[in-house]
Amino acid sequence: SGAGMVLSVLVILLLSVLYEALKMGKAVLLRRALLALPHSLSRESLTEPEEGDPGPTQGRWFRYHVGQTLCHVVQVVLGYMVMLAVMSYNAWIFLGAIAGSTLGYFV
């Protein structure tokens, strides 16, 4: 029906926007993880706080890395869902995915 098609296109559009938002979120987490890394990458500096550090930075880079990993898993799942929807070979769903990706990148 017409209402079902409109709802399907809107869901695909929102999934595409969420996919692009997760891409940006992963980039932000990567930047924060790189800034949280200690200056020396020895095993001791990764597990123990450095002298003169203003706060407890122990393990902060690892939490960012775990967050980045979880975002990646969700992004892969969303990507496959959008791909499967597009492979239904419906022009409206394809246009919804393109519009959602464009809107998500723009925002």
Side-chain angles (χ1 to χ4, degrees):
S1 70
M5 180 55 71
V6 169
L7 183 63
S8 297
V9 170
L10 285 176
V11 167
I12 295 302
L13 186 131
L14 291 175
L15 286 177
S16 297
V17 169
L18 183 60
Y19 179 84
E20 291 293 331
L22 277 172
K23 273 186 12 183
M24 291 303 300
K26 270 180 42 179
V28 168
L29 282 175
L30 175 64
R31 185 171 43 100
R32 288 183 183 173
L34 290 175
L35 290 175
L37 276 175
H39 298 293
S40 170
L41 290 179
S42 68
R43 182 176 297 238
E44 291 80 21
S45 68
L46 290 175
T47 58
E48 299 173 3
E50 290 183 11
E51 295 289 326
D53 272 349
T57 60
Q58 184 177 6
R60 187 175 3 152
W61 66 272
F62 185 72
R63 283 180 282 184
Y64 287 133
H65 185 65
V66 169
Q68 197 177 11
T69 302
L70 293 175
C71 281
H72 177 74
V73 169
V74 173
Q75 183 185 2
V76 166
V77 169
L78 283 174
Y80 277 117
M81 288 172 62
V82 171
M83 179 194 68
L84 285 173
V86 167
M87 289 188 67
S88 69
Y89 299 109
N90 185 312
W92 292 109
I93 289 180
F94 174 73
L95 292 175
I98 297 298
S101 181
T102 304
L103 183 64
Y105 186 81
F106 181 73
V107 171

